[in-house]
């Protein structure tokens, strides 16, 4: 099954089990632009799941490792994850440009500039302007911004180079609304529980996909 290049929906596949992950990925692939793999799935199923998901769906895979280490360690981790077939890696920007560059030298990178949870207001949000400046300087594929705060997405969009994409988690379970955040300037929405924990993941993905197409 192959994915949908027109789609603006990214599935956050935060389950532990390999079989379950592959089943949900195959059921929903038609409506997705990409699949985001985070630590729960890598810890539960091993890094090989990246290759398997790619083979099973043909979709781009985003490895959401939120790398936040010194350049050498970021490089050691990122090289194996890109080798496994990841198309994008998410890295934190607050560790500094050298750490982010170490990832960017190996493949397409997405930088966190603001997060979606309430605690993001404590440390990350006060640093967002600087993180956006970092993204403007390094020109990664994209940045992560909060779907829970569309006004912040609009603000980030107004300061960010237009070629840099905005990917927004926080739709559904965390309270964000797909239409609102896309109207605010997001390029993609990232959705986990509202799809994978629903009774019918395929139908939930289809509904979200339709919603994004109406914007
Ligand atoms: P859910 O739709 O179930 O809330 O999942 C959101 C996904 O996006 C999770 O994988 C989470 O780790 C990730 N995420 C987030 O929720 N907020 C952020 O600011 C950054 C994230 O990567």
């Amino acid at each position: 099954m192959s994915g949908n290049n027109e789609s603006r929906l990214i599935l956050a596949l935060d389950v532990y089990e390999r079989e379950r992950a592959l089943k949900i990925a195959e059921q929903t692939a038609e409506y997705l632009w990409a699949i985001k793999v985070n630590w729960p799935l890598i810890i539960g199923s091993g890094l090989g799941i990246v290759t398997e998901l790619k083979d099973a769906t043909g979709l781009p895979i985003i490895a959401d490792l939120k790398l936040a280490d010194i350049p050498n360690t970021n490089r050691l981790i990122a090289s194996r994850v890109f080798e496994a077939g990841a198309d994008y890696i998410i890295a934190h920007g607050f560790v500094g440009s050298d750490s982010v560059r170490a990832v960017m030298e190996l493949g397409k990178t997405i930088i966190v500039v603001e997060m979606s949870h309430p605690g993001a207001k404590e440390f990350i949000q006060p640093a967002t302007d600087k993180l956006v400046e970092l993204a403007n300087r390094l020109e990664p594929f994209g940045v992560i911004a909060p779907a829970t705060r569309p006004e912040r997405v609009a603000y980030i969009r107004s300061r960010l180079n237009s070629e840099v994409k905005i990917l927004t988690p926080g739709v559904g379970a965390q309270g964000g609304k797909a239409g609102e955040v896309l109207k605010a300037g997001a390029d993609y929405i990232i959705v986990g529980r509202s799809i994978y924990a629903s009774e019918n993941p395929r139908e939930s993905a289809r509904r979200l996909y339709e919603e994004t197409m109406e914007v």
Side-chain angles (χ1 to χ4, degrees), residues 38-60:
N38 199 336
W39 289 108
L41 184 54
I42 294 176
I43 289 167
S45 302
L47 185 57
I49 192 68
V50 168
T51 324
E52 283 194 284
L53 282 169
K54 218 175 146 68
D55 291 347
T57 64
L59 291 177

Side-chain angles (χ1 to χ4, degrees), residues 3-14:
N4 186 331
N5 218 16
E6 303 283 293
S7 174
R8 301 167 79 184
L9 177 61
I10 298 169
L11 170 63
L13 196 45
D14 295 331

Side-chain angles (χ1 to χ4, degrees), residues 165-186:
K165 308 281 185 206
I166 301 185
L167 296 79
T168 55
V171 167
Q174 295 180 54
K177 306 254 185 303
E180 281 178 22
V181 72
L182 289 169
K183 278 188 201 126

